[in-house]
Amino acid sequence: MDTASSPKALRKTLHDRGMRMTPQRQLVLDAVRDLGHATPEQICQRVQATAPTVNITTVYRTLDLLDRLGMVRHTHLGHGAPTYSVDEHEHVHLVCHKCGRVDEAPCDLLTPVAGTLRREFGFELDASHLALSGTCRDCLKENDQ
Amino acid sequence: MDTASSPKALRKTLHDRGMRMTPQRQLVLDAVRDLGHATPEQICQRVQATAPTVNITTVYRTLDLLDRLGMVRHTHLGHGAPTYSVDEHEHVHLVCHKCGRVDEAPCDLLTPVAGTLRREFGFELDASHLALSGTCRDCLKENDQ
DNA sequence: CTGCGTGCAAAATATTTGCAGACAG
DNA sequence: CTGTCTGCAAATATTTTGCACGCAG
């Protein structure tokens, strides 16, 4: 088996478009996979743990590249910084606007809504690109006290 | 009738908390109401059409204040800048990630989903705070051509 | 070799903070 | 009058861009 984020897959995708394979690109892809959802800043720190000279600029450029290649995707979790994750396990993000915690829910949660939107608005929903915001279990409990 | 964004309502809300009514605060609230969804930058321009000396700093501070007072709310539409709107007509935002267009859908679209989230995740959904992203009617059409 | 990709510095953008004066109450 | 609010300038944070060198192919 050969996952989408393996060195081979990355090399092939890049070469198919006349682009080059570099250690930096592999490190960024690895970091995105390992961290789950992470901001460019966090990804950069992770990469620098292995290769301290890699510049934040390169991280931004590489994330942008990998996003356009479809190898990672970015999600707007709310407050500000977008977070990046590998495209593998699709899910909806649930962001608590009180404590900032991010949970995940299965994507098909929104399937009925997606159908309604398509029918009534001609709008093709991309469920995993944005988060749903609200209040999480724990913060709700705190309010009750 | 006395809407939530009327000068009187604003004055009262402020006074109840020992805060002061100022022309700047009324102008910002008016701009938010008139513009629908707008970024701090756009709101500032609108305010400056009437009062050119009002500073962007004041707009940021006032938006933050009005948000905490519950007189406006902010929504993360995706790409970057949050947008502010009055709390009156609740709706879900549909953002096209291709052309950037923002449509609105009735909030109760998500009522069934909100129920599922509450039951299965203990998560209380706040539907109007975030946007759903996808591809709008027009951009879908373009893809077909 | 050739030129794409990188690191560095600096620019562009977005938002926040410190402080002295203005003015609401 | 008193203390909050504002405007200005500068600090911070975030992301982008220009350029010369290094390395992938």
Side-chain angles (χ1 to χ4, degrees):
Chain A
M1 179 194 129
D2 205 39
T3 69
S5 58
S6 73
K8 275 191 187 171
L10 177 56
R11 166 163 253 123
K12 180 172 191 320
T13 307
L14 289 169
H15 278 208
D16 286 352
R17 317 206 182 194
M19 300 174 139
R20 291 177 183 174
M21 174 66 162
T22 67
Q24 288 89 336
R25 287 175 175 175
Q26 186 60 48
L27 285 167
V28 169
L29 182 52
D30 289 346
V32 171
R33 183 180 0 80
D34 294 351
L35 291 172
H37 331 100
T39 61
E41 190 66 31
Q42 294 170 317
I43 291 163
C44 186
Q45 283 181 15
R46 174 66 164 245
V47 169
Q48 289 181 338
T50 306
T53 65
V54 172
N55 196 279
I56 180 86
T57 304
T58 300
V59 174
Y60 276 107
R61 283 192 282 225
T62 304
L63 287 172
D64 188 58
L65 175 71
L66 295 176
D67 201 348
R68 277 181 288 118
L69 292 177
M71 304 193 72
V72 307
R73 73 167 36 236
H74 70 275
T75 306
H76 299 280
L77 253 34
H79 47 289
T83 64
Y84 288 78
S85 53
V86 292
D87 215 346
E88 283 161 0
H89 57 316
E90 296 258 305
H91 52 254
V92 178
H93 299 93
L94 305 177
V95 181
C96 176
H97 51 41
K98 196 137 178 256
C99 68
R101 168 174 156 187
V102 181
D103 282 337
E104 298 175 2
C107 232
D108 53 10
L109 184 80
L110 290 177
T111 307
V113 175
T116 308
L117 287 174
R118 195 178 303 116
R119 251 175 288 116
E120 302 195 6
F121 295 85
F123 188 86
E124 190 64 39
L125 182 66
D126 172 14
S128 64
H129 184 247
L130 279 175
L132 298 175
S133 95
T135 316
C136 74
R137 200 190 322 258
D138 298 345
C139 288
L140 279 175
K141 248 183 254 160
E142 264 179 49
N143 277 344
D144 289 344
Q145 288 167 5
Chain B
M1 180 194 128
D2 205 41
T3 69
S5 57
S6 73
K8 275 191 189 172
L10 177 56
R11 166 164 255 124
K12 179 171 190 323
T13 306
L14 289 169
H15 278 208
D16 286 352
R17 317 208 181 190
M19 302 175 138
R20 294 177 181 174
M21 175 65 163
T22 66
Q24 288 89 335
R25 288 175 174 174
Q26 185 60 48
L27 284 167
V28 168
L29 182 53
D30 289 346
V32 171
R33 184 178 1 80
D34 293 352
L35 290 172
H37 335 96
T39 62
E41 189 67 32
Q42 293 170 318
I43 291 163
C44 186
Q45 283 182 13
R46 175 66 164 245
V47 169
Q48 289 180 339
T50 306
T53 65
V54 173
N55 196 279
I56 181 86
T57 304
T58 300
V59 174
Y60 276 108
R61 284 192 281 226
T62 304
L63 286 173
D64 188 56
L65 174 70
L66 295 176
D67 202 348
R68 278 181 288 118
L69 293 178
M71 304 194 71
V72 306
R73 73 167 37 235
H74 70 275
T75 306
H76 298 280
L77 254 34
H79 48 289
T83 63
Y84 289 78
S85 54
V86 291
D87 215 346
E88 283 159 0
H89 59 313
E90 297 260 304
H91 52 253
V92 178
H93 299 94
L94 304 176
V95 181
C96 176
H97 52 41
K98 196 137 179 256
C99 68
R101 167 175 156 185
V102 181
D103 282 337
E104 299 174 2
C107 230
D108 53 8
L109 184 79
L110 290 177
T111 307
V113 175
T116 307
L117 287 174
R118 195 178 304 120
R119 250 176 288 116
E120 303 194 5
F121 295 85
F123 187 86
E124 189 62 40
L125 181 65
D126 172 14
S128 63
H129 185 246
L130 279 173
L132 298 175
S133 95
T135 315
C136 74
R137 200 192 319 259
D138 297 346
C139 288
L140 281 174
K141 247 183 256 160
E142 263 180 51
N143 277 344
D144 289 344
Q145 286 169 8

